[in-house]
Structures are given as structure tokens and as C-alpha cells.
Amino acid sequence: MRGFLASSIGVTCAAALALPLTPPALAATARPVPASEAATTARPGPHAGTPATTPAGRRVAEPYAAGSTQSLPLEPLTRNRATPSAPSSAEQGLPRRAVRHFSLVGVVWDDPTAELHGRVQVRTRDAGTGTWSGWQDVETHNADHAADPDTPERASGRVRGATAPLWVGDSDGVEIRVRSGAGHSAEQTPDARDLPAAPPLPSGLRLELVDPGEDDGASSGDEEESRAAGAPNAETSARTEASTANAGLGATEIAALSRARAEQEYLALDPGGLTEQQRQAKPYVGPRPGIVTRRGWGANEGLRESGFRYTKKVKAAFVHHTASGNNYRCSQVPSLIRSIYRYHVKSMGWRDIGYNFLIDKCGKIYEGRAGGVAKPVLGAHTLGFNSNSMGIAVLGSYGATKPSNSAVKAIARLTAWKLGLYRVNPKGKTYLTSAGSNLHRKGKKVRLNVISGHRDGFKTECPGRKLYGKLGSARSKAARYQGR
């Protein structure tokens, strides 16, 4: 073992995991497209039957910038088109329209503390076939995925309330309706006057249409716009410097390690932080799984806030589902993660993607929030319990759908390794101090399973009933991977 630690291989392995894994800066940026080039660089125009003279039609004809967000304010809708005299504040939306290409939708509003009590439904048009989908529900209860209260990220002034994102695939048309809790049923009730008034919808409702762009890490137009406006590029330089410091570590995937090698890695990562007793004791660290890095899924590092934020240690892992639907192929996952990343940062106002890791239904593991996969990166995943924990999101919706065995196995493999680096038994219990949630008051010391579901820290359906039911199996498997 000492020979390994002294070797250059051991040092390189330890350094790779201790440093944040962000890609080298890319020089390519989006730029305005000259009129002479627009015909060849623009996305296809609207399908037949959509008037090109409408505002939506004009948007489609505009040059397309890879990686973008269309933000459309919602409008009051009338209850009955035959009597459109009184628009209802309890129902908003947008009629069917053509838009630029997008693959993920969500709804945001001004106040991050406000909740949307009601129903959000969207229909989208497939960009390849021109076929419209049926109405799809968007998960409205998403406030529990957030930075902790009284943290700089939460108090930045940029944070908005939002639904969960919904993956719809490559689309170029949309229709949306948002109804408050009682708004859609009161008109059918004879004694509607005796019912409580429908809760008002949050102010500033906007439909967010996210295009993940191509898998090349190229910048969106945001940085180009700031330069054109004369904004300083010191922040961009800082990102470049942070990425350059990781030159040579910008691989698209971190290779798997055996348990013996992972235990050696554990000793090499923090030799000064271990007591003599800890150094002599047998380490229980699971094999390191292969992990797709941010470069591997094509993260545009110019989107997120510069720098990294850390907590002290990792004592627990909270498992989530993204509630973004199960209608994705595993080959589409890089695009799906880029979409969620952009939605978290640009639409919801977070500093980076909220989760520390993401897992797809094929069992592949992806790096989430930047800062280094072996480090205790502070996330924004479990409101009230982001400190001293990590957040793992399984891509999909698992209220009624069982997670794949591959995904459950990936949870076990990831937690066996990462929790092992912090000397934590995945089958054990731990205490975390609540920063405030709707389930545990601020300052309360809460006893939790080391591998917990989101609903253990916050009153929520996440990670879905079917996935939550598999956490016992994940704990047992993770402990076995650690050799316990």
C-alpha cells in the first residue's frame, strides 16, 4: 500500500478526485448570424398550417442559437369561448403556437416562497412528425428542491418559484393551461357560491422552453450579449482559470476502480485529516463506479456561477427523482441533463444544477454540481438539509413506475463509494441539523437513515413511492459493496 501511495499513479488518482472536474474553457461562443447566413443556420420553419405572420411564426424564422431558453409570459384564459367577457385570474395559459425548437418545459413565477396550488398541463408538437401530443401534467410541487434558507444562493435575488421540468423531446409547438386548485371544477357545481374561492395563481407566471443545444459544450448567446453590452469579462476569465487548473482532468468519464484501489485512494485523498487510529483501521470503501463528468454530458461552464461551494463532510445521501417523465432514451440523457442544468440556472436562478449526481434508467452515473466528485460539494436538492449531505437524482418519475434494477444498483454503488470516503455506513443512522423545512423546524437535530429519500427531510412525494420503496435494497447492497 505504501508503495502505491508513493507512486505517481496513486498521486495522480488522488489529485484527480480531489480537484473539481470541470472542462477546459472553450473559445467558441454564439454570435449573431448575418442575414446572408440565416437561411442555412436557422432551425426549420413552422409546419404547414401555422401562419408565419404571427409573433410565434416570426420567432421560428429567427436564427437559432444552440442552447437557449424561450421565456413566454402566460395570459388569462376565458372559461368559455362562447362568452369571453371575463378572463379568469384562476386560469392562465397560451393557445397553440409555433416556437423555436425546445426539448424541456417548465413554468416559473416571481416569488420562490409562493406555491402553485393547481394543475399545469402542456401539449407539444413533435418537430420531426408535426404530431401534437395529448395533454401532459407538469409536477407543480417543486419548492422542496432548493438551496437552504438564509444561504447566499437562496438570498441572491435571482431565485424564482418553479414547477419541476418536463422532458418532451425535440418539439417546435406548444400549448399550455394553468388552473388554480378549484378553478376548473367550480363552474360544474350548482352550489359553487358556497365553495371557497380558488387559490390565486402566483404572479409572474412564465412558460420556459429549454433547448439543450448540441453536445459540444459551446456557449449560449448569454455571454456574447454581456460582452456586446460592455459588461466586464472578469467572471469569464475566472471560469477559464478554474478550468485550466484542471487541465488533463477534463476526461469525459472517470474510470471505475476496484474496492482495493478505492481503499488506497481513500488513504491518499486526505492523509493529514485522518487520525492514526483511522489510518490503522480497515477502511470500508466501495469500488468507485464509472462517472460521466460534466464535460462528458456537455456542460456549458459559462452558465453557472464562478467558484465552488463546499460543506464540511458527507454524512447522508438524499435520493430524489427529477419528476421530468420517463419518456427518454438513455442516449438522450446528456441532452436531458443539459436541459435541467439550464432550467435550474437560467429559469430558477440557482448557481448551478442542484443535484450532486444524476442516474439514468440504464444505471449510468453522472456528475452534477461542479466542485469535484469526491468532495463535499454543497448542493441545492433537499430544502433544509443540504449541509453535510449529497443529493442523488434518478432521472424520471417514480410515483407509479418502478425504477429499473440498474438504477437501484447504481444508487448502491455510488453511495458505497462516496459515503465510504467519509467513513459512513450506508445501513446506519445519522443526525443532521435542519435549516428549516415543512417537516422539521430550523435547528432541530433529526435522526435519519444515512441513505434517505427526499420525503424524509421534507413533506413531499419525492422520490416517488416506487423508488422510495427500493431504498432498503439500496442500503443493503451499498453495505455489501463496502465489505460490511
Side-chain angles (χ1 to χ4, degrees):
M1 184 178 295
R2 290 180 181 175
F4 171 83
L5 291 175
S7 70
S8 60
I9 296 175
V11 172
T12 301
C13 178
L17 284 157
L19 286 168
L21 284 154
T22 52
L26 297 171
T29 57
R31 61 178 176 84
V33 180
S36 59
E37 300 177 28
T40 58
T41 58
R43 284 280 201 177
H47 289 277
T50 303
T53 55
T54 65
R58 289 196 295 272
R59 279 195 297 272
V60 172
E62 293 170 357
Y64 166 76
S68 61
T69 301
Q70 302 169 73
S71 186
L72 310 177
L74 301 191
E75 305 163 354
L77 297 178
T78 56
R79 292 193 183 283
N80 189 331
R81 293 185 180 181
T83 56
S85 57
S88 170
S89 60
E91 186 172 2
Q92 296 186 33
L94 292 172
R96 185 182 296 194
R97 64 180 60 196
V99 292
R100 294 198 310 271
H101 284 229
F102 67 96
S103 296
L104 180 140
V105 304
V107 173
V108 300
W109 52 91
D110 296 336
D111 184 359
T113 65
E115 293 189 39
L116 196 164
H117 297 285
R119 191 175 190 183
V120 176
Q121 293 181 300
V122 296
R123 299 180 64 198
T124 56
R125 183 175 63 188
D126 187 289
T129 66
T131 302
W132 283 88
S133 72
W135 287 106
Q136 300 182 75
D137 285 301
V138 179
E139 174 58 56
T140 59
H141 300 293
N142 194 49
D144 44 324
H145 299 76
D148 287 342
D150 303 322
T151 59
E153 182 170 6
R154 183 75 174 182
S156 67
R158 299 188 303 272
V159 179
R160 304 178 188 91
T163 67
L166 177 68
W167 175 260
V168 294
D170 189 19
S171 305
D172 62 2
V174 69
E175 181 179 5
I176 182 171
R177 60 191 185 196
V178 180
R179 294 173 175 174
S180 66
H184 60 284
S185 59
E187 61 183 314
Q188 302 171 354
T189 306
D191 298 323
R193 290 173 298 177
D194 300 327
L195 295 175
L201 293 172
S203 62
L205 289 172
R206 302 184 72 88
L207 173 65
E208 303 288 290
L209 305 176
V210 180
D211 187 331
E214 302 302 323
D215 189 7
D216 59 5
S219 298
S220 70
D222 303 298
E223 289 75 36
E224 187 71 20
E225 290 171 7
S226 66
R227 292 191 193 95
N233 60 4
E235 191 171 353
T236 303
S237 300
R239 294 191 190 105
T240 303
E241 185 177 8
S243 297
T244 303
N246 296 317
L249 302 178
T252 58
E253 185 167 355
I254 300 169
L257 284 181
S258 67
R259 196 172 97 200
R261 291 287 300 276
E263 289 177 350
Q264 294 171 337
E265 166 194 89
Y266 155 78
L267 293 171
L269 277 172
D270 188 20
L274 299 176
T275 65
E276 185 60 29
Q277 183 179 4
Q278 288 170 338
R279 293 182 62 81
Q280 296 301 324
K282 172 179 171 54
Y284 290 96
V285 182
R288 186 180 74 197
I291 302 172
V292 177
T293 65
R294 290 170 65 89
R295 184 176 185 180
W297 53 262
N300 174 4
E301 299 297 344
L303 287 182
R304 66 173 177 84
E305 232 178 72
S306 61
F308 313 109
R309 301 290 183 271
Y310 299 99
T311 185
K312 292 180 180 179
K313 60 184 72 172
V314 178
K315 297 172 62 179
F318 285 99
V319 177
H320 305 255
H321 68 171
T322 57
S324 50
N326 302 313
N327 190 27
Y328 69 88
R329 300 187 303 275
C330 290
S331 60
Q332 295 175 310
V333 168
S335 294
L336 173 53
I337 297 177
R338 289 198 305 277
S339 297
I340 294 173
Y341 171 43
R342 176 172 278 274
Y343 185 68
H344 281 183
V345 175
K346 287 296 183 182
S347 300
M348 298 179 66
W350 295 358
R351 70 181 318 274
D352 195 350
I353 192 170
Y355 308 112
N356 297 104
F357 297 94
L358 301 100
I359 294 172
D360 67 25
K361 58 188 175 185
C362 293
K364 186 166 284 189
I365 301 169
Y366 300 81
E367 178 186 14
R369 182 164 286 208
V373 294
K375 286 194 168 185
V377 178
L378 180 64
H381 48 81
T382 307
L383 181 64
F385 291 96
N386 290 304
S387 293
N388 296 329
S389 72
M390 67 175 181
I392 302 169
V394 181
L395 294 163
S397 302
Y398 298 100
T401 302
K402 290 182 179 179
S404 67
N405 291 333
S406 297
V408 176
K409 182 179 179 181
I411 294 171
R413 292 170 62 226
L414 176 59
T415 53
W417 168 71
K418 182 67 180 274
L419 292 171
L421 295 179
Y422 293 88
R423 302 176 291 281
V424 177
N425 182 348
K427 286 188 72 175
K429 304 282 187 178
T430 191
Y431 282 91
L432 293 178
T433 301
S434 173
S437 76
N438 64 0
L439 196 58
H440 302 289
R441 61 174 173 78
K442 183 177 181 180
K444 180 181 178 181
K445 293 186 182 299
V446 183
R447 189 170 185 259
L448 296 161
N449 287 309
V450 165
I451 299 178
S452 283
H454 188 179
R455 63 175 63 182
D456 296 318
F458 198 99
K459 189 175 181 181
T460 174
E461 293 298 314
C462 184
R465 180 172 58 89
K466 295 291 189 179
L467 178 54
Y468 188 77
K470 293 291 185 180
L471 296 188
S473 173
R475 295 182 193 108
S476 299
K477 289 179 180 177
R480 289 198 297 270
Y481 285 136
Q482 286 188 348
R484 296 182 186 271

